[in-house]
Amino acid sequence: MRNPERTCQAATEVLLKTIYFIRSLPSFHHLPGFDQFLLLRSHWVLLFILGLAQEHVTLENLRSCLDKLWRLDLTPKEYVYLKGTILFNPDVPGLINRKLIEGLQRETQQLLHQFIHTLHPHDHSQLNIR
């Protein structure tokens, strides 16, 4: 790292923004505390990477992953929907309310698909996100 202090500061800011994002989701607060814990423990890394890409923060050991995300040229809404899709993953072992989480993920995916369709109404290849 060329400037480790600046890099650590930027990474910290991305982590804080990720926490604020999650705290701002009313649907997340309706989940049992244990489910909240499991979802965060299982998906914080992917949420952090999306946050780095969204904020254009470069960490050298993640450069190729970030480059791929930047090439997608995602909008802020697309980042939000992707984060929701990642966060509300019902495949985490031990979840108490798996059905609710599954519904939240399905709802988030539908919103993402609808948004992509409004951006690219004639390009159906963009809708194959799974």
Side-chain angles (χ1 to χ4, degrees), residues 27-107:
S27 50
F28 186 75
H29 290 284
H30 289 34
L31 296 173
F34 189 68
D35 283 355
Q36 291 177 19
F37 167 76
L38 288 176
L39 290 172
L40 285 174
R41 186 183 72 186
S42 297
H43 305 301
W44 77 268
V45 173
L46 290 174
L47 294 169
F48 178 64
I49 291 171
L50 275 176
L52 292 172
Q54 185 176 15
E55 299 297 323
H56 292 278
V57 174
T58 304
L59 297 178
E60 291 308 316
N61 60 332
L62 297 174
R63 183 65 186 217
S64 66
C65 176
L66 292 170
D67 284 340
K68 288 176 186 176
L69 286 168
W70 291 330
R71 279 194 299 271
L72 293 174
D73 196 28
L74 300 174
T75 67
K77 269 192 171 183
E78 288 173 301
Y79 276 109
V80 167
Y81 295 141
L82 283 172
K83 289 177 184 179
T85 298
I86 289 169
L87 179 63
F88 297 122
N89 182 341
D91 297 331
V92 175
L95 290 172
I96 296 168
N97 205 334
R98 184 178 312 278
K99 289 288 184 194
L100 175 59
I101 295 166
E102 186 176 296
L104 291 170
Q105 186 183 56
R106 189 173 31 258
E107 182 181 334

